């Protein structure tokens, strides 16, 4: 498997690292403390074209491979995980158009999404349908040459800030997962109302909302083909899980950097903390977890670019990297002792931000279901 990126991609990753260091990292603590949406950081990424790094050149993207894209997401997340969450939610929306939309819809929406002019949201989860989205109750019914959408969604990232929401709804309730379609809901659509932003544990610079829907959409709002929505959503989530794995690497990397510096600086008795074998073993465990997570993420990214199915690889990378990030951020905080618990340092923010990685885009338990199903199926052949 080839994990190399070319010189053009490396230049793009370097540019991302630069803007992350200079702009995103400077905003991260303020967003967290004031619980304010990461608008300036998204704008800075948009101005450099990073809102379209998941898209081919013909739709305004950079046309880079998934390895380079993962490296960019890692850089964004290392600087500000909230911004990475808002950015990757936008990718879920634009991937939905790329995978499920007609050519005319791709042309209409994607170039403006890539340029940063439009921000997207991805509306799948409902109060009664999280781990099993096929149980969704939001209905789309034909009405006056268009569609009447009735129902609710919750925990939708970017929903109120977004210029459009890709919303999944049941068009054929008898058909289960085969009766779901996707719709484009532009900002300002009458009959779409939002809750206040939810008060979250981490990612406080990214927002999630509950939506109540009783709205009419024209026929053209149907994204691609009727009843093909579930397949689209599952393919989109396969791609998204590689990005969550890359987000995990970013937060873990930032926590590791603090820990490595600190253990040399902190004197405990006659010697620095790094001179104790207990510390060295902890550092070795953190490193091994990080390297394994990065290799699994790279493998999933390479497989994604190969054109083969990559559900197994993306679920494995997401499961392992999210769990590793939890371990690494906790270990980094522990190495700081009481200082790690004080909000002057971002260690406690890293722990809070990392927690969601084991929940969204499919919990760790859901990844295990996907992995075991694929592994058992392969073994039976
Ligand atoms: C910050 C944040 C951002 C989000 N952003 C978005 C977004 O932009 N768009 C969107 O559509 N959704 C979004 N979500 C929703 C997220 O994807 C769901 O919360 C997640 O998929 C889990 O669904 P749930 O909350 O309904 O949990 P549930 O499905 O109720 O799960 C509860 C528990 O049951 C476990 N469980 C479920 N099934 C099984 C099983 N078969 N066997 C064993 N255990 C099981 C789960 O692992 C979990 O531990 C977001 C959520 C959060 C918190």
């Amino acid at each position: 498997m080839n994990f190399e990126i070319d010189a053009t991609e490396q230049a793009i990753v370097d540019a991302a690292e630069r803007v992350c260091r200079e702009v995103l990292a400077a905003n991260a603590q303020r967003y967290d403390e004031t619980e304010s949406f990461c608008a300036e950081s998204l704008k800075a990424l948009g101005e450099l074209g990073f809102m379209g790094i998941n898209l081919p050149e013909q739709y305004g993207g950079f046309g880079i491979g998934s390895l380079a894209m993962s490296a960019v997401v890692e850089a964004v997340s290392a600087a500000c995980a909230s911004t990475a969450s808002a950015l990757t939610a936008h990718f879920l929306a634009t991937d939905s158009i790329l995978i499920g939309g007609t050519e005319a819809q791709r042309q209409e929406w994607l170039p403006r999404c890539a340029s940063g002019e439009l921000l997207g949201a991805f509306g799948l989860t409902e109060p009664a349908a999280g781990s099993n989205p096929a149980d969704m109750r939001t209905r789309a019914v034909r009405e006056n040459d268009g569609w009447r959408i009735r129902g609710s969604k919750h925990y939708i990232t970017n929903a109120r800030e977004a210029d459009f929401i890709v919303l999944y709804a049941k068009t054929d309730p008898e058909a289960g997962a085969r009766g779901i379609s996707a719709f484009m809901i532009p900002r300002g659509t009458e009959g779409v109302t939002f809750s206040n932003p939810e008060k979250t544990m981490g990612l406080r610079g990214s927002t999630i909302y509950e939506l109540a829907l009783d709205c009419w959409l024209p026929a053209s709002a149907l994204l691609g083909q009727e009843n093909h929505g579930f397949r689209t959503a599952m393919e989109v989530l396969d791609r998204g899980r590689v990005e969550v794995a890359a987000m995990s690497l970013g937060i873990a990397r930032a926590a590791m950097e603090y820990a490595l510096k600190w253990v040399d600086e902190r004197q405990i008795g006659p010697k620095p903390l790094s001179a104790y074998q207990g510390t060295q073993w902890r550092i070795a465990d953190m490193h091994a977890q990080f390297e394994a997570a990065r290799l699994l993420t790279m493998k999933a990214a390479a497989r994604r670019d190969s054109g083969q199915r990559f559900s197994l690889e993306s679920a494995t990378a997401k499961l392992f990297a999210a769990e590793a990030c939890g371990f690494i951020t906790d270990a980094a905080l522990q190495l700081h002792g009481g200082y790690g618990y004080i909000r002057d340092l971002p260690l406690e923010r890293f722990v809070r931000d990392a927690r969601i990685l084991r929940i969204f885009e499919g919990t760790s338990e859901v990844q295990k279901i996907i992995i075991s199903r694929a592994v058992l199926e392969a073994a039976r052949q």
Side-chain angles (χ1 to χ4, degrees), residues 139-149 170-171 181 183 216-217 219 222 226-227:
R139 283 279 277 127
V141 179
R142 287 185 188 277
E143 184 185 296
N144 296 337
D145 290 334
W147 296 91
R148 167 69 48 185
I149 315 271
K170 279 258 166 88
T171 30
S181 306
F183 295 87
W216 181 86
L217 300 170
L222 176 70
E226 189 175 342
N227 296 330

Side-chain angles (χ1 to χ4, degrees), residues 122 124-125 130-131 155-157 208 356 359 361 363 365 369:
F122 173 82
L124 185 69
T125 305
S131 296
Y155 306 156
I156 307 304
T157 304
I208 59 173
I356 189 60
I359 297 173
E361 300 202 30
T363 61
E365 292 75 21
I369 293 170

Side-chain angles (χ1 to χ4, degrees), residues 88-98 110 120-122 164 166 236:
T88 52
H90 172 75
F91 292 159
L92 294 177
T94 53
D95 277 349
S96 297
I97 301 172
L98 183 69
L110 295 180
F122 173 82
F164 67 91
V166 175
V236 167

Side-chain angles (χ1 to χ4, degrees), residues 229-246:
F230 193 75
R231 226 169 64 193
T232 300
M234 293 305 107
E235 275 185 52
V236 167
L237 288 172
D238 280 346
R239 291 163 68 93
R241 285 172 188 142
V242 183
E243 289 146 30
V244 176

Side-chain angles (χ1 to χ4, degrees), residues 46 48-64 98 106-107 109-116:
L48 295 170
F50 287 113
M51 300 299 280
I53 47 163
N54 58 326
L55 298 174
E57 277 173 297
Q58 74 211 85
Y59 304 119
F62 286 153
I64 59 175
L98 183 69
R106 291 185 199 130
Q107 297 286 355
W109 292 94
L110 295 180
R112 287 187 295 155
C113 294
S115 70

